[in-house]
Amino acid sequence: MLSEIRIESLGAINAATAEFDRGLTVLTGETGTGKTMVVTGLHLLGGARADPTRVRSGAPRASVEGRFSTAELDDDAAAQIDEILDSSGADRDDDGSVIALRTVSRDGPSRAYLGGRSVPAKSLTTFTTGLLTLHGQNDQLRLMRPEQQRAALDRFAGVDAKLGRYRKLRDLWQVARRDLVDRTNRARELAQEADQLKFALAEIDGVDPAPGEDEALVADIRRLSELDALREAVAGARAALSASVDDLSDGEPHSATDTLSRAVALLDSTDDSALSALGRQLADALTVVGDVARELGSFLGDLPDDASGLETKLARQAELRSLTRKYAADVDGVREWARQSRERLVQLDVSEDALAGLAHRVEELATQVAVAALELSKVRAKAAKGLAKAITAELTGLAMAQADFTVTVSAMPARDDDSAPLRLPSGELVHAGSEGIDLVEFGFTAHRGTDVLPLNKSASGGELSRVMLALEVVLAASTEGTTMVFDEVDAGVGGRAAVQIGRRLARLARTHQVIVVTHLPQVAAYADSHLVVDSTGSGASEVRRLGTEQRVAELARMLAGLGESDTGRAHARELLEAAEQERLS
């Protein structure tokens, strides 16, 4: 839910703050006061493209800050929001709300912030997708596009699982199909590459390098090259640490072990606590010296008697270097190159058996994709009838009793240059797109009995507004808790139709937070909260919340500019009371 928005230097608004409650909130005001800037600000918070021309004259930048509450979201939606915040490093405010901020510079790039952290604008889009649904006249135009109509039907039908399965199978089919085409068209080239890889792998297998063998060889060769000096150093060090009785001269110990042992014995013979502590430290040192002496003995025992193996190891090192010069920087890299090359060889198999097997695999996947596509089409076709019936019923309630709305689902035929045509069991060749094989088209007629034409050819602006509202009311059941914003959804309508639009918006507000920019008093009368955008007289505008009497005056002004007349006020009060009774009934 959107709880607050603050706008600075955006269009006609110098600085304004608007607080939003649950239910239906309307924004009204004279033309040119900037009431649509609130919707523009929400679009910016949704990650929309920033337009520097929207920055108020004389200001270096505009900013829009929104506070969102996520307390009313279900567990899944709340978990998604938490994941977005975590990935962005964003923090919640003390009350658990999340603050989103967008700035638009007159001369430079825009900036986006979420929970106090700078983020890309698309992160705001990700964040607000599940919280805000924005509808303006551009959105009405988008409703005419086939992909938007299909998306609306899918939302009504709930096809996520079947669509996901279709996409997974389609991806596998596309990969296998491209592989088959590639192998078939490049058979000679791939065969040459395979021969080269086989030759290289034979060379590597002949040498058969072990993991880390090159590094071990370096150590062994250095050891053999310095064998005599190494043996002398190790033997001397071992004798210094732990000399035998034969190494003693003039009866005194010369090894470190004997010296330390004597020191420990002398300290232990006293009763002084400080000396005893030092004795324990020397005893620990004695243990370390003994361990080192034993390891030196093992090292000395492992040394070869002579350097006769040096030539063999040098020859082995030369073999390994011949591989590392060609295939990788070290032996482990060579082994990894060989592993990848063996996998590549499988892909390069252009034998008749391999191509036949791959072709069979492509056919199997194509069959599975066709089945999944037809299952998806079946669900859409069934839902299309229900969606058409529900929207037609809503249009009746919107003072369009003679209107007829249809939803048709048909297969998209494959193009002549189709990259992946799909053959259905019926033999029909269709285009298998990422969203399925279906073309969804909304049809409409305002007068039952006349021909139903595509929506983009048959609906006026006012009719299109009502179709969009009817669609949102029908789809609202699957999106409880979201904030829905309508910018002049009532454009081009009036009279009884306007009253019906107000009723539908009020009904929608029972399960959603609904914010509407309107110029119709019949719609504004149904609001739970009424905000007005006023000019301050200095070329700027402010947003005010209206009380009951102020609402009466504003509705009277909207009726016919009769805000100060008793007749206008009486009419406005009657309209407000009638709407209030309906909302409470």
Side-chain angles (χ1 to χ4, degrees), residues 237-238 240-242 256-258 260-261 264 279-297:
R238 181 168 177 263
L241 293 177
S242 180
T257 302
D258 290 338
L260 289 173
S261 297
V264 170
R280 288 192 294 273
Q281 293 183 37
L282 285 177
D284 293 339
L286 181 61
T287 300
V288 173
V289 169
D291 292 341
V292 172
R294 282 189 294 276
E295 290 184 19
L296 286 174

Side-chain angles (χ1 to χ4, degrees), residues 135-146 148-149 152 391 394-395 398-400 403-406 441-446 453-473 486-494 497 501 505:
H135 294 289
Q137 294 186 16
N138 289 335
D139 299 278
Q140 296 174 23
L141 295 177
R142 283 199 294 269
L143 184 61
M144 296 184 179
R145 300 174 185 170
Q148 294 294 327
Q149 295 177 6
I391 291 179
E394 282 296 324
L395 291 174
L398 290 170
M400 297 178 69
D404 195 9
F405 183 87
T406 64
E441 185 175 74
F442 289 174
F444 175 80
T445 179
L453 298 176
L455 188 63
N456 61 347
K457 297 180 180 179
S458 57
S460 65
E463 291 166 344
L464 190 58
S465 295
R466 281 178 273 183
V467 169
M468 190 181 72
L469 178 58
L471 180 63
E472 283 302 331
V473 171
F486 295 93
D487 183 13
E488 298 192 3
V489 69
D490 48 18
V493 299
I501 287 178
L505 289 170

Side-chain angles (χ1 to χ4, degrees), residues 194-209 323 327 337-338 341-342 345:
D195 286 343
Q196 293 172 354
L197 289 179
K198 289 176 182 177
F199 178 84
L201 289 172
E203 182 181 14
I204 295 173
D205 291 341
V207 176
D208 192 22
L323 299 181
Y327 306 113
W337 185 91
S341 296
R342 288 189 175 89
L345 268 179

Side-chain angles (χ1 to χ4, degrees), residues 275-546:
L275 294 179
S276 296
L278 292 174
R280 288 192 294 273
Q281 293 183 37
L282 285 177
D284 293 339
L286 181 61
T287 300
V288 173
V289 169
D291 292 341
V292 172
R294 282 189 294 276
E295 290 184 19
L296 286 174
S298 298
F299 184 90
L300 193 61
D302 292 338
L303 287 176
D305 295 333
D306 55 51
S308 58
L310 180 60
E311 292 300 324
T312 301
K313 292 188 178 294
L314 287 172
R316 179 62 176 174
Q317 187 180 53
E319 289 181 330
L320 296 180
R321 282 179 175 172
S322 70
L323 299 181
T324 56
R325 280 195 301 268
K326 297 178 183 179
Y327 306 113
D330 54 30
V331 163
D332 289 344
V334 171
R335 290 171 57 86
E336 176 61 20
W337 185 91
R339 184 192 67 78
Q340 294 178 0
S341 296
R342 288 189 175 89
E343 292 180 354
R344 175 62 177 160
L345 268 179
V346 175
Q347 301 172 359
L348 295 177
D349 190 351
V350 291
S351 64
E352 290 185 5
D353 290 343
L355 292 180
L358 185 55
H360 181 65
R361 171 65 174 162
V362 171
E363 291 177 2
E364 285 184 335
L365 286 171
T367 300
Q368 294 177 32
V369 172
V371 171
L374 289 173
E375 289 179 352
L376 180 60
S377 298
K378 184 177 180 180
V379 173
R380 284 173 171 161
K382 181 178 180 180
K385 297 177 181 178
L387 180 60
K389 182 178 179 180
I391 291 179
T392 299
E394 282 296 324
L395 291 174
T396 299
L398 290 170
M400 297 178 69
Q402 294 300 312
D404 195 9
F405 183 87
T406 64
V407 182
T408 59
V409 179
S410 58
M412 292 183 288
R415 302 181 299 270
D416 292 338
D417 60 344
D418 206 302
S419 60
L422 181 66
R423 182 77 64 181
L424 299 180
S426 63
E428 184 180 5
L429 200 61
V430 299
H431 171 68
S434 61
E435 304 297 330
I437 63 173
D438 303 312
L439 177 65
V440 176
E441 185 175 74
F442 289 174
F444 175 80
T445 179
H447 304 284
R448 197 164 297 154
T450 60
D451 292 338
V452 175
L453 298 176
L455 188 63
N456 61 347
K457 297 180 180 179
S458 57
S460 65
E463 291 166 344
L464 190 58
S465 295
R466 281 178 273 183
V467 169
M468 190 181 72
L469 178 58
L471 180 63
E472 283 302 331
V473 171
V474 171
L475 298 180
S478 62
T479 57
E480 280 195 31
T482 59
T483 296
M484 309 186 76
V485 182
F486 295 93
D487 183 13
E488 298 192 3
V489 69
D490 48 18
V493 299
R496 190 161 58 92
V499 173
Q500 294 299 331
I501 287 178
R503 288 173 177 168
R504 287 303 186 276
L505 289 170
R507 193 175 84 185
L508 192 59
R510 294 174 184 174
T511 54
H512 298 70
Q513 181 189 41
V514 180
I515 301 171
V516 181
V517 176
T518 183
H519 65 281
L520 294 179
Q522 296 95 328
V523 173
Y526 282 89
D528 298 293
S529 301
H530 191 150
L531 305 179
V532 65
V533 183
D534 278 337
S535 174
T536 62
S538 58
S541 298
E542 64 178 3
V543 180
R544 294 187 295 111
R545 181 181 292 270
L546 302 183

Side-chain angles (χ1 to χ4, degrees), residues 565-583:
S565 72
D566 292 340
T567 302
R569 285 177 173 270
H571 190 182
R573 195 180 302 279
E574 180 182 358
L575 184 64
L576 192 62
E577 290 175 352
E580 181 71 14
Q581 289 178 0
E582 282 195 35
R583 286 197 302 111

